[in-house]
Amino acid sequence: MSDTPAQLPSAAGDRATEVFVGHRELLFSVVYNLLGSVSDTEDVLQETWLAWARRVRQPDAEEIDNPRAYLVRIAVNQALARQATISRRRETYIGPWLPEPLLTRTPEALDSPQGAQAVDAAESALRTESVSMALLVVLETLTPLERAVFVLHEVFGYAHTEIAEILGRSPSAIRQLAHRAREHVQARRPRYQADPHLQQQVTERFVAAALGGDIAELMSLLAPDVTMWTDGGGKVRSALRPVNGRDKVARFLNGYATSRLPESLDIRYQQVNGDPSAVVFSGDSPYAVMVMDLNPSNDQITDIYLVTNPDKLSRVRLDESGEPTGAPRLAPDAVPELELDPEREDAHPREAGRRADTP
């Protein structure tokens, strides 16, 4: 019979749950940035919980001085182990694959200095836990180890020596991986963050032009070398390859708007992976999430990411006030319904080295 958190010895079970829930947000953020998939991230968190609870419940187990380092090590290595399965799945994926969008809320009082400061603070907080859709797409071109090193170092601020402990590699090997990953990302995605107000304005103008069939406005907004990525996953009609070039993208959008869209659409503007984006509903059901990336020199749209795969929109919904919301993380007051099977032979990662409190 499988053990559950409630069946652990009381003190150890309470402590295991408390520590895991306390680090749940960090673990989710790290793993999501490694995998780009919420469902895979939740599976990895479950495996992390299983390994953690087994370790804590051992009657003769030594106390772990740094639970967070230990949990991050388990989660990262579980994510890396899942990469082979994910790669096989991607080989049969229909059309371009895009990361599963993460919706977040920011304050709406943009017209006041206090509101603007609050938005900036919220965006800064988001940046520490999830990167933009555009950067996630670039990270897909790295090897799993390069991506892990890049995410841990560049996004979460881990030192190379700490990453070496997590991945079981030498510090010199980690520095080489970090150098390759940084050069690769920089060549494809120079560091640039558009002004969020401007990005929202461009997004709203783009959606209005696309839905209204205003080709002239579309052409003015699109960069000459713009690329549009549409991820329908074979579940809904979408382009099977990226659409490249201003003329082709404008024609594609015009045809899409006139022949493929439902009669009634509700457009909401929401933060997705830290960027102002369009969230489209048909009735109460999510229809699409659209994210745009801008050119730093002229603020024209260089990349359009359109996610219509219903599997990737299953967590996007309208709340009681009619606003879009997402539920990518575990419930705040409980771990999921996880079972501890003593017959499972999951690896027990060694405890990672000590690290400072700041991620």
Side-chain angles (χ1 to χ4, degrees):
M1 179 175 179
S2 297
D3 293 334
T4 65
Q7 292 171 315
L8 290 171
S10 179
D14 291 347
R15 175 61 177 160
T17 302
E18 178 185 353
V19 170
F20 184 83
V21 171
H23 295 92
R24 177 192 65 246
E25 296 291 336
L26 172 65
L27 298 175
F28 180 95
S29 301
V30 170
V31 176
Y32 169 77
N33 282 308
L34 295 181
L35 303 181
S37 162
V38 173
S39 59
D40 286 306
T41 296
E42 290 173 340
D43 288 345
V44 167
L45 290 191
Q46 176 168 311
E47 295 298 325
T48 302
W49 161 256
L50 290 168
W52 166 251
R54 268 197 307 273
R55 172 64 172 79
V56 171
R57 73 176 178 170
Q58 293 174 359
D60 56 347
E62 295 181 6
E63 185 175 354
I64 298 173
D65 334 342
N66 193 335
R68 178 165 68 174
Y70 186 86
L71 285 166
V72 168
R73 178 167 187 162
I74 296 174
V76 169
N77 283 283
Q78 290 283 1
L80 289 172
R82 181 167 287 263
Q83 283 288 357
T85 300
I86 293 174
S87 296
R88 288 194 297 271
R89 189 193 310 154
R90 300 272 174 84
E91 290 174 359
T92 58
Y93 197 82
I94 300 174
W97 183 95
L98 291 176
E100 187 170 347
L102 283 183
L103 272 65
T104 56
R105 287 188 178 277
T106 54
E108 297 177 354
L110 299 180
D111 54 348
S112 68
Q114 295 85 355
Q117 289 178 358
V119 170
D120 291 341
E123 287 170 350
S124 297
L126 176 65
R127 286 293 174 182
T128 67
E129 62 181 39
S130 65
V131 295
S132 69
M133 180 76 72
L135 183 52
L136 284 174
V137 169
V138 173
L139 293 184
E140 286 292 318
T141 64
L142 299 177
T143 68
L145 277 177
E146 287 173 346
R147 182 169 183 167
V149 171
F150 184 91
V151 166
L152 289 170
H153 183 64
E154 301 291 337
V155 180
F156 293 93
Y158 280 77
H160 291 147
T161 51
E162 295 172 311
I163 300 172
E165 290 276 355
I166 291 171
L167 297 179
R169 301 290 197 280
S170 68
S172 61
I174 295 301
R175 282 190 288 271
Q176 290 176 357
L177 286 166
H179 178 71
R180 288 203 304 267
R182 189 164 50 248
E183 281 196 334
H184 184 95
V185 171
Q186 184 65 20
R188 291 159 177 77
R189 172 73 182 171
R191 291 183 180 274
Y192 165 68
Q193 175 59 37
D195 175 80
H197 301 281
L198 174 62
Q199 193 167 4
Q200 177 156 339
Q201 290 172 3
V202 172
T203 299
E204 292 179 5
R205 288 173 58 196
F206 171 85
V207 171
L211 294 182
D214 190 340
I215 300 296
E217 173 73 349
L218 277 177
M219 297 291 280
S220 71
L221 292 171
L222 299 174
D225 58 350
V226 62
T227 299
M228 182 167 185
W229 312 72
T230 60
D231 181 349
K235 306 294 179 67
V236 297
R237 290 183 62 189
S238 61
L240 297 181
R241 296 178 182 83
V243 183
N244 298 301
R246 177 189 286 159
D247 292 339
K248 290 182 179 178
V249 170
R251 288 199 301 270
F252 176 85
L253 287 167
N254 187 56
Y256 194 92
T258 56
S259 64
R260 299 189 189 178
L261 294 181
E263 293 183 3
S264 177
L265 290 178
D266 185 10
I267 312 295
R268 307 295 180 95
Y269 295 98
Q270 181 77 18
Q271 295 284 324
V272 174
N273 291 74
D275 289 325
S277 308
V279 182
V280 185
F281 286 85
S282 176
D284 293 333
S285 301
Y287 180 79
V289 169
M290 184 180 293
V291 184
M292 268 139 297
D293 201 27
L294 305 185
N295 187 316
S297 61
N298 57 20
D299 294 316
Q300 287 185 313
I301 298 169
T302 57
D303 296 277
I304 304 165
Y305 305 99
L306 178 63
V307 180
T308 56
N309 184 344
D311 294 342
K312 295 185 179 182
L313 303 177
S314 60
R315 294 167 180 81
V316 178
R317 60 187 185 277
L318 294 173
D319 63 17
E320 294 179 357
S321 65
E323 291 300 317
T325 183
R329 295 170 176 79
L330 305 176
D333 56 352
V335 294
E337 291 187 14
L338 307 176
E339 293 187 350
L340 297 181
D341 186 347
E343 300 303 319
R344 294 185 59 165
E345 295 297 333
D346 296 285
H348 292 268
R350 296 188 303 275
E351 181 179 357
R354 297 172 179 268
R355 96 169 234 93
D357 287 340
T358 55

